[in-house]
Amino acid sequence: MTGWRIGYAIAPPEITDAIRKVHDFLTVGAPAPLQEGAVAGLKFGPEYYVELAQKYTERRALCLDMLGKAGFKYYAPQARIM
């Protein structure tokens, strides 16, 4: 599901009403394959996402190491992966 943009919000009606209005102007609708993929992804257990986060952490470290060895100046992402 990497690269797919999907989200949800749990909020009071006055906030979700505003979210819906913004959403209407930003998108027409999510394609059916995206919706089906999101449903499949929500069925995976937490262990899947823990392992996925570990793999992405390892890949990020590898890429940053290669950038440093190649002489690039970079800023490490500050995102916390689980």
Side-chain angles (χ1 to χ4, degrees):
M1 293 177 14
T2 301
W4 289 8
R5 304 295 183 252
I6 190 163
Y8 59 91
I10 299 171
E14 60 273 8
I15 294 175
T16 57
D17 289 344
I19 291 170
R20 276 193 217 97
K21 288 176 185 172
V22 170
H23 183 264
D24 286 345
F25 290 106
L26 296 177
T27 64
V28 174
L34 171 62
Q35 293 173 346
E36 290 180 29
V39 169
L42 291 171
K43 292 179 181 177
F44 295 143
E47 63 281 351
Y48 171 81
Y49 293 102
V50 169
E51 182 180 345
L52 187 64
Q54 290 170 347
K55 288 180 181 178
Y56 278 127
T57 300
E58 292 168 9
R59 291 175 188 165
R60 177 174 65 184
L62 177 65
C63 288
L64 294 177
D65 184 56
M66 288 189 295
L67 286 171
K69 287 179 180 176
F72 285 94
K73 180 179 178 180
Y74 64 87
Y75 296 94
Q78 297 301 308
R80 185 179 69 94
I81 301 177
M82 298 177 82

